[in-house]
Amino acid sequence: MAYPMYEVDWSVLPPEQNRRFNPAFNIATIKQVVNEAIERVAPVSVRMPTPTRLRDLIRQIRAARTAAEERSVVNKECAYIRSTFREEDSVWRCRNIAKLLYIHMLGYPAHFGQLECLKLIASPRFTDKRVGYLGAMLLLDERQDVHLLITNCLKNDLNSNTQFVVGLALCTLGAIASPEMARDLASEVERLIKSPNAYIKKKAALCAFRIIRRVPDLMEMFLPATRSLLTEKNHGVLITGVTLITEMCENSPDTLNHFKKESGQREIVPNLVRILKNLILAGYSPEHDVSGISDPFLQVKILRLLRILGKNDAEASEAMNDILAQVATNTETSKNVGNTILYETVLSIMDIKSESSLRVLAINILGRFLLNNDKNIRYVALNTLLRTVHVDTSAVQRHRTTILECLKDPDVSIRRRAMELSFALMNSQNIRGMMKELLVFLERAEAECRAHCSSAMVLAAERYAPSSKWHLDTLFRLLLKAGNYLRDDTVSSTIQIISAAPAERQAYAAMRLWTSLERSAVSGDATEKQPLVQVAAWTIGEYGDLLVSEASSAISMVDEDGFDEFTRPSEEYVIDIYQKLLWSTQLSITTKEYLLLSLAKLSTRFTTRPSQDKIRVIIDTFGSHIHIELQQRGVELSQLYRQYAHLRPALLERMPAMEAPAGERDDSDAEGDAPADSPQHRADRPQPDALLDLIIGSEPLSNGDAEHDLPAATAPPPDNNNTTTTNDILDLLSGLDLSSPSVPAPAPLTSSAPATNLLLDGLFSSPAPTQPVSQPETTVTALERNGLRVEFVVCSGGDTATLTMRALSTARSALTDFLFQAAVPRTFRLDMMSPSGTVLTPQGEITQVLKVTNPSRTPLRLRIRVSYNIEGSPVLEQAEVNNFPPDLFN
């Protein structure tokens, strides 16, 4: 194009015609112009194809119909990107890195672009730096050697005059900083926190937050710079400052005390209260308004920091009581944003030393949450009530009706939380109504929930039963509705309660259980209710004469459900029901053992000749049973009709009343009990480790229930899998004197299930022992570390002393998988009952009864080991206790 001659000044030409002389041009731009010109005039054979744009690549990948087609597109593009990276000065580097990052997000390898990211970071252009830093955050980590090369680039950009370049460097440093890089650049970040630029100050505070998480030792460096953050008016700086201080206080008790007590930080709580009050009373601000609430994110952060500062601090708690009440009463609850602030307010109220009226207000807020249609809000309310119920139980009791309604919620997670909260609220005043609701819940609960629910109901009924009759009725309903999901020890405890009841109550139990057994046998669902069949078989075997006698018609069968249907059965009909159950192929061997022994006992309870003959025929058939245990029982019981007929009435007479095992009625919370085994694992009872006998002689060491231990003859042989257990016990016993001669151990306790030697029950039985005289109790502290306190309540009594272990927690979180172990020297015998639970809640308690027998009456030395998990981290504590009273065994 020709220009007039008077236009001699080329600088006034239009830009598109004056590229050559534009002073704003740099070498990279000139190269790009040259490359574009070469592409226009070069032949097709030498022309490099123009790289695909990112949006076109995304379209191609999304258009792929199969995974193989997608891999083909990605591999082709990666090959092209590699070829362009080989060029020393590629003008398309920024576009190729952007495409490579998208490919990396899809899960394909993109490590070959790491060095190219460094080249983009070193570029003076902001667009290149932005993509380069993004690639560094995604493609680099501290395991890569390239990671070390970026430190100098970051330091240069942290000193840039452009705030956006400084912001990019701060974001990248916070994302990929290694400990070495954090130590090198922490001083630069600390300097930027004091910058007058609010944008840079906000980014620097967030970067400091990440550095402190990575290297806690650098916390003191940033401590002075945090003083000015809470005096800013910019909300972005305020929220990052509160976040940084919260992180410091949570990770360092010394820093928390510094913010509470140091003269420079004395006003932190009033300052936070002032900021929060301004947010509540502030008018409409479009910049910070979210659904009609002014900056809810900042409000939540401040509430969380107040909760940390006010915990266990009465003075700080008093300063924030008023503002917490204002937030709780003035926040709009129609939007989810308001519910978020109320939730944080409730947590703050329950954690600090707040007034009782304020705690009631907080629990009432959670009660309103339970009425919300949003399932998430209801779940959060139940979860929070479960955490705070120990703080103010009476206030939570007011919402008991609403909590019980949540048991009918279609969402399974809400039902489970409502169930756990119901057990936490249960006491002797509301046990009747709550148990009715929980029985209805149990009937339609999921399989995995029934075990825990039924176990907790058994413990609650045992602890809060208003009468023995109500206790029995509740156990019968549980046996009927929980089926095989009941714990194994429920059978033995129910049998013990029946045997200790008056004669009229025993007849009532036989009638109730007979009715349930008959219905199960007729309907064919006895397989799913085997604990019921076992209890019914034992009860009918013992009190079958009361069941068929005419006096049974005069016994009232009315219970709380109005049950009043009982028809006195004939002896032949009872035997027919037994025969149908014994012939069933789906009942377990243990259940058939109960039935067979019960049938043998009925031979001494029933009086008619046909009944006797029918029972004898059924027992004789078991003499050739395929299962050796049932075969042995059949043969031995058949001999009582032949060679030892004169011993049969004495051997099968009614058993004396059983005594409740020590420690059975504990004070544990229902929700702290471990769930029962699933039905399919019911037969897989934990067996005693034979290696323990090799280590400590005849005194078995156990941390389970002693009444379930098997005799030494039935213990399985040791295998390679027991190595860990052996080492643990050796560690536990190290230091104790095990060289003394062992004392012969008394006969081991047997299970409550029928065994072969039950044929001799009652023949050589001694009179029932008299009630022991209560002895004075002494408390001995065994362990006190990290918020966990373990102590023994000692009760002396001759050769045997009873130690009740009490574990108490003051930690913030629950201690899960709690396991207590103990070991004694050889001259002692140690029996440990079942613990009351495996989850130790804050301010909660777990108890376990230990019985120590000491024939030599030497001073007791005990070594204990406690293991648990807190917030996912395993903890192991060990101690030796030798400060027991010297007259413990006198």
Side-chain angles (χ1 to χ4, degrees):
M1 177 179 179
Y3 288 92
M5 294 299 295
Y6 57 82
E7 292 185 357
V8 294
D9 187 0
W10 289 86
S11 63
V12 300
L13 293 178
E16 63 273 10
Q17 302 295 335
N18 195 26
R19 292 181 182 178
R20 182 177 175 186
F21 300 96
N22 192 338
F25 272 9
N26 52 30
I27 298 301
T29 309
I30 294 174
K31 288 181 179 180
Q32 183 175 352
V33 174
V34 173
N35 287 336
E36 290 176 354
I38 291 175
E39 288 188 358
R40 286 196 298 270
V41 300
V44 179
S45 59
V46 299
R47 186 186 303 172
M48 286 291 293
T50 304
T52 308
R53 294 182 300 178
L54 177 59
R55 67 183 66 179
D56 296 330
L57 176 63
I58 294 174
R59 289 195 188 100
Q60 292 178 24
I61 292 177
R62 289 182 177 177
R65 298 181 179 179
T66 62
E69 188 177 347
E70 178 184 300
R71 286 195 298 271
S72 175
V73 174
V74 172
N75 291 337
K76 181 179 178 181
E77 188 62 34
C78 287
Y80 172 77
I81 293 175
R82 283 193 185 94
S83 66
T84 58
F85 284 167
R86 295 190 188 101
E87 298 182 12
E88 198 61 33
D89 297 307
S90 175
V91 296
W92 307 111
R93 183 178 288 117
C94 185
R95 178 184 293 186
N96 289 332
I97 288 294
K99 291 187 293 183
L100 195 61
L101 294 180
Y102 178 72
I103 291 172
H104 171 74
M105 291 168 61
L106 295 178
Y108 294 95
H111 57 278
F112 57 88
Q114 294 173 354
L115 282 174
E116 302 301 319
C117 292
L118 294 182
K119 294 178 181 179
L120 287 177
I121 290 173
S123 171
R125 298 174 60 185
F126 177 75
T127 53
D128 289 348
K129 281 186 178 292
R130 183 173 57 185
V131 176
Y133 275 126
L134 179 61
M137 285 188 278
L138 293 177
L139 300 181
L140 298 184
D141 57 49
E142 59 182 282
R143 293 172 296 180
Q144 307 293 336
D145 295 335
V146 184
H147 185 266
L148 302 175
L149 303 177
I150 201 175
T151 305
N152 193 45
C153 295
L154 286 171
K155 187 166 186 177
N156 292 335
D157 287 339
L158 288 175
N159 292 288
S160 173
N161 295 326
T162 306
Q163 64 174 2
F164 301 109
V165 174
V166 177
L168 282 176
L170 288 170
C171 289
T172 307
L173 177 60
I176 67 172
S178 63
E180 295 78 12
M181 184 185 294
R183 290 187 176 92
D184 292 339
L185 299 177
S187 59
E188 299 291 336
V189 177
E190 191 264 344
R191 175 181 59 82
L192 292 174
I193 291 179
K194 301 175 182 178
S195 170
N197 189 320
Y199 177 84
I200 294 178
K201 183 178 291 189
K202 174 180 65 176
K203 295 282 187 179
L206 285 178
C207 184
F209 166 78
R210 295 291 187 86
I211 288 176
I212 287 174
R213 277 193 170 181
R214 199 81 175 100
V215 188
D217 297 341
L218 298 175
M219 189 180 302
E220 293 184 7
M221 177 184 293
F222 297 106
L223 202 57
T226 58
R227 298 181 179 181
S228 62
L229 294 177
L230 295 183
T231 59
E232 292 285 335
K233 294 184 179 180
N234 185 282
H235 284 213
V237 178
L238 277 176
I239 195 170
T240 53
V242 172
T243 303
L244 179 59
I245 295 174
T246 302
E247 181 69 17
M248 290 179 172
C249 294
E250 284 182 334
N251 292 336
S252 172
D254 294 336
T255 305
L256 178 61
N257 293 330
H258 170 80
F259 281 112
K260 284 183 178 180
K261 299 176 181 178
E262 289 294 327
S263 59
Q265 301 294 333
R266 191 182 297 276
E267 302 297 326
I268 183 171
V269 172
N271 199 10
L272 291 171
V273 169
R274 176 183 55 80
I275 297 172
L276 190 57
K277 184 177 293 185
N278 291 338
L279 289 173
I280 296 173
L281 303 178
Y284 174 74
S285 174
E287 183 181 358
H288 306 116
D289 183 81
V290 178
S291 299
I293 295 177
S294 179
D295 205 341
F297 304 100
L298 180 56
Q299 291 192 43
V300 168
K301 290 288 185 181
I302 292 176
L303 287 169
R304 184 179 179 188
L305 181 54
L306 288 175
R307 179 163 76 248
I308 296 172
L309 295 171
K311 190 169 186 179
N312 299 325
D313 191 328
E315 184 178 352
S317 301
E318 185 178 357
M320 61 184 74
N321 274 336
D322 292 341
I323 189 62
L324 291 176
Q326 290 183 32
V327 174
T329 53
N330 296 336
T331 303
E332 178 63 37
T333 60
S334 60
K335 299 295 178 66
N336 200 36
V337 176
N339 292 328
T340 304
I341 296 176
L342 287 177
Y343 172 69
E344 289 292 336
T345 305
V346 169
L347 293 182
S348 299
I349 292 173
M350 303 308 290
D351 272 8
I352 68 173
K353 293 181 176 296
S354 55
E355 301 171 354
S356 59
S357 58
L358 199 56
R359 289 198 299 269
V360 172
L361 175 61
I363 292 175
N364 289 340
I365 292 173
L366 295 177
R368 291 203 304 270
F369 281 177
L370 293 177
L371 303 174
N372 200 297
N373 294 327
D374 192 332
K375 294 181 180 180
N376 294 325
I377 294 178
R378 292 204 302 275
Y379 178 84
V380 166
L382 290 169
N383 213 21
T384 310
L385 285 171
L386 191 59
R387 290 169 51 189
T388 59
V389 65
H390 63 278
V391 178
D392 196 339
T393 307
S394 59
V396 183
Q397 287 282 2
R398 299 190 185 99
H399 306 279
R400 187 173 67 246
T401 305
T402 310
I403 295 169
L404 292 176
E405 285 297 319
C406 292
L407 292 172
K408 305 172 185 177
D409 195 280
D411 190 279
V412 60
S413 58
I414 293 178
R415 292 200 302 271
R416 289 184 180 181
R417 283 291 176 267
M419 176 194 71
E420 294 174 1
L421 186 55
S422 299
F423 286 122
L425 292 176
M426 198 172 287
N427 54 38
S428 56
Q429 284 75 35
N430 58 30
I431 181 70
R432 294 178 181 270
M434 296 194 71
M435 195 64 76
K436 282 184 179 180
E437 296 288 341
L438 287 168
L439 282 168
V440 174
F441 166 77
L442 178 65
E443 201 167 2
R444 59 173 184 271
E446 299 76 20
E448 60 271 15
C449 189
R450 287 188 178 184
H452 176 65
C453 182
S454 57
S455 300
M457 291 176 74
V458 169
L459 291 176
E462 181 181 342
R463 183 176 183 181
Y464 300 115
S467 65
S468 58
K469 182 178 183 299
W470 181 91
H471 191 188
L472 270 180
D473 289 337
T474 302
L475 290 177
F476 294 157
R477 295 191 196 96
L478 275 173
L479 289 167
L480 194 61
K481 296 185 178 181
N484 293 344
Y485 294 97
L486 274 173
R487 292 193 326 185
D488 291 339
D489 57 352
T490 305
V491 174
S492 57
S493 61
T494 306
I495 289 174
Q496 183 272 324
I497 293 172
I498 295 174
S499 68
E504 182 179 354
R505 194 68 46 75
Q506 291 170 345
Y508 168 76
M511 295 158 60
R512 284 290 307 273
L513 290 170
W514 161 253
T515 305
S516 301
L517 182 67
E518 178 192 12
R519 291 175 179 173
S520 299
V522 173
S523 62
D525 62 348
T527 306
E528 300 176 358
K529 301 175 181 178
Q530 298 201 47
L532 170 67
V533 177
Q534 294 171 9
V535 175
W538 186 92
T539 306
I540 295 172
E542 292 294 322
Y543 314 111
D545 52 338
L546 303 178
L547 177 67
V548 298
S549 65
E550 295 183 359
S552 62
S553 303
I555 298 176
S556 173
M557 288 291 292
V558 178
D559 66 357
E560 293 188 358
D561 291 339
F563 181 86
D564 195 15
E565 297 180 6
F566 175 74
T567 303
R568 183 166 61 91
S570 62
E571 295 180 357
E572 290 76 11
Y573 183 62
V574 173
I575 298 172
D576 289 340
I577 294 296
Y578 268 72
Q579 184 176 6
K580 183 175 183 179
L581 293 172
L582 284 169
W583 282 184
S584 173
T585 58
Q586 297 179 337
L587 288 180
S588 67
I589 299 301
T590 302
T591 304
K592 289 186 177 181
E593 291 170 359
Y594 273 96
L595 288 166
L596 188 61
L597 189 57
S598 174
L599 188 63
K601 288 199 170 188
L602 286 179
S603 65
T604 63
R605 312 296 194 261
F606 292 170
T607 56
T608 62
R609 186 66 182 179
S611 301
Q612 300 283 346
D613 295 339
K614 198 169 185 178
I615 291 174
R616 179 177 180 178
V617 171
I618 295 174
I619 291 176
D620 287 343
T621 58
F622 277 88
S624 57
H625 197 276
I626 191 172
H627 193 275
I628 189 64
E629 179 70 20
L630 289 175
Q631 183 185 121
Q632 181 179 353
R633 288 171 185 261
V635 171
E636 292 176 348
L637 291 173
S638 295
Q639 293 300 315
L640 295 180
Y641 281 91
R642 295 180 176 87
Q643 300 180 19
Y644 306 101
H646 60 286
L647 293 178
R648 183 160 56 89
L651 286 174
L652 300 179
E653 68 178 3
R654 186 172 298 173
M655 293 180 64
M658 303 179 188
E659 290 186 0
E664 183 178 291
R665 296 181 63 92
D666 54 53
D667 296 332
S668 63
D669 292 325
E671 70 274 11
D673 188 76
D677 295 335
S678 57
Q680 58 268 31
H681 297 104
R682 184 167 295 280
D684 299 335
R685 299 286 299 176
Q687 305 297 324
D689 193 346
L691 292 177
L692 301 182
D693 293 336
L694 297 177
I695 297 172
I696 57 175
S698 59
E699 294 88 351
L701 175 65
S702 169
N703 49 22
D705 195 340
E707 66 184 9
H708 294 302
D709 288 348
L710 297 178
T714 63
D719 54 20
N720 295 332
N721 295 330
N722 289 331
T723 304
T724 304
T725 304
T726 307
N727 293 336
D728 290 344
I729 300 301
L730 285 173
D731 292 341
L732 188 61
L733 293 171
S734 61
L736 292 180
D737 183 13
L738 302 179
S739 59
S740 303
S742 61
V743 180
L749 300 175
T750 59
S751 172
S752 57
T756 305
N757 58 3
L758 287 181
L759 291 174
L760 302 179
D761 284 347
L763 183 60
F764 304 106
S765 60
S766 58
T770 59
Q771 188 70 20
V773 180
S774 60
Q775 299 291 336
E777 295 182 347
T778 307
T779 301
V780 176
T781 301
L783 178 68
E784 190 167 6
R785 297 174 192 164
N786 302 326
L788 173 66
R789 177 184 176 90
V790 178
E791 60 186 24
F792 290 104
V793 178
V794 182
C795 182
S796 59
D799 291 347
T800 302
T802 301
L803 312 180
T804 303
M805 186 279 298
R806 298 175 66 236
L808 305 100
S809 172
T810 59
R812 291 189 304 175
S813 305
L815 310 184
T816 59
D817 299 332
F818 186 89
L819 177 63
F820 172 80
Q821 294 175 295
V824 292
R826 273 186 163 180
T827 54
F828 295 81
R829 173 182 170 84
L830 174 64
D831 292 322
M832 301 179 66
M833 305 304 160
S834 298
S836 62
T838 59
V839 178
L840 183 56
T841 58
Q843 310 301 325
E845 177 181 311
I846 289 180
T847 59
Q848 188 170 0
V849 176
L850 292 75
K851 289 189 175 181
V852 182
T853 303
N854 181 16
S856 61
R857 307 218 173 175
T858 56
L860 173 62
R861 295 170 57 205
L862 190 69
R863 175 154 292 185
I864 65 171
R865 171 182 286 173
V866 179
S867 61
Y868 56 88
N869 289 336
I870 179 168
E871 296 180 350
S873 301
V875 178
L876 180 65
E877 303 285 357
Q878 187 167 309
E880 183 172 334
V881 188
N882 51 17
N883 55 341
F884 291 101
D887 57 346
L888 180 60
F889 296 100
N890 294 332

